[in-house]
């Protein structure tokens, strides 16, 4: 299990570095195109590349936020119930993760189907398959599934009495 956690942490670090590269590239391309447009010229492929980078940044950023528990979550009810009855609170957390996992699997499946439908279409200037843009969704959903499984493992090892004691605890925030 510890090996799984280390692999997931390693993936998150790689994604974080990749996100930095995507954001820097996106800003540089858009800034260069703005400057060149001001001077009466432009980069033909800048809009398409910026769109591609933005989509990948959005989806990988969603995974990164989820892996760091920075995503918005509805914990008010779970915390209220969990404080009074930790066992019921834990059941609610498990149910929440089951629903999240179901959603991620649906989006993953739909994304794979959509890539197969869109892969023959190409962008106007770069001539890249549109499937590359749509691939961001299934890739990030797969990564989020791995993270959700990690959350299940953490939840299974957690002591019910410790789950809802402290609002700032890593365990509560991480689940």
């Amino acid at each position: 299990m510890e090996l799984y956690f280390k692999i997931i942490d390693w993936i998150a670090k790689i994604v974080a570095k990749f996100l930095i590269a995507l954001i820097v590239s996106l800003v540089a391309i858009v800034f260069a195109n703005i400057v060149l447009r001001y001077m009466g010229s432009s980069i033909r492929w800048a809009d398409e590349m910026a769109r591609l980078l933005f989509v990948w940044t959005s989806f990988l950023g969603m995974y990164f936020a989820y892996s760091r528990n920075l995503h918005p979550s509805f914990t008010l009810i779970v915390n209220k119930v969990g404080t009074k009855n930790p066992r019921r609170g834990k059941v609610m957390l498990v149910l929440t993760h089951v629903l999240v996992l179901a959603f991620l699997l649906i989006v993953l499946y739909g994304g794979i189907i959509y890539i197969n439908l869109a892969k023959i279409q190409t962008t106007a200037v770069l001539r890249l398959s549109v499937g590359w843009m749509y691939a961001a969704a299934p890739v990030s959903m797969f990564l989020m599934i791995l993270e959700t499984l990690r959350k299940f493992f953490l939840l299974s090892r957690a002591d019910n009495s410790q789950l809802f004691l402290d609002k700032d605890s890593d365990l509560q925030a991480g689940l």
Side-chain angles (χ1 to χ4, degrees):
M1 200 60 55
E2 294 304 318
L3 178 63
Y4 180 76
F5 290 169
K6 286 181 182 180
I7 291 170
I8 297 300
D9 288 338
W10 179 77
I11 290 171
K13 288 177 185 175
I14 297 295
V15 169
K17 291 176 182 170
F18 189 60
L19 272 169
I20 291 169
L22 287 175
I23 293 169
V24 168
S25 300
L26 177 63
V27 169
I29 289 169
V30 170
F31 180 75
N33 202 32
I34 289 170
V35 169
L36 288 173
R37 281 187 182 174
Y38 183 73
M39 295 178 182
S41 180
S42 69
I43 305 169
R44 285 185 40 174
W45 49 266
D47 290 337
E48 285 180 9
M49 184 57 77
R51 190 175 306 117
L52 179 68
L53 293 173
F54 182 74
V55 168
W56 275 92
T57 300
S58 299
F59 278 97
L60 288 177
M62 184 173 26
Y63 158 72
F64 184 76
Y66 185 67
S67 73
R68 298 291 187 255
N69 300 308
L70 300 172
H71 64 291
S73 59
F74 302 99
T75 57
L76 178 67
I77 296 171
V78 174
N79 287 339
K80 285 270 189 201
V81 170
T83 306
K84 293 179 183 171
N85 186 339
R87 187 159 193 249
R88 284 189 185 160
K90 190 171 184 177
V91 168
M92 289 182 76
L93 283 173
V94 169
L95 179 63
T96 301
H97 291 311
V98 167
L99 293 173
V100 167
L101 187 60
F103 172 77
L104 295 172
L105 288 168
I106 290 168
V107 175
L108 173 68
Y109 177 74
I112 291 169
I113 289 174
Y114 206 75
I115 288 170
N116 287 326
L117 294 173
K119 68 183 174 186
I120 59 172
Q121 184 182 1
T122 59
T123 59
V125 179
L126 291 173
R127 308 303 299 163
L128 288 174
S129 170
V130 174
W132 283 106
M133 190 174 312
Y134 294 124
V139 167
S140 65
M141 294 307 117
F142 177 74
L143 293 172
M144 290 174 74
I145 288 169
L146 295 177
E147 184 61 37
T148 302
L149 294 176
R150 183 209 334 230
K151 291 173 191 276
F152 273 124
F153 294 137
L154 288 172
L155 191 57
S156 70
R157 292 195 293 182
D159 179 15
N160 289 354
S161 63
Q162 298 296 317
L163 273 174
F164 303 98
L165 288 180
D166 182 9
K167 288 189 182 224
D168 295 325
S169 76
D170 289 340
L171 187 58
Q172 180 187 11
L175 300 173

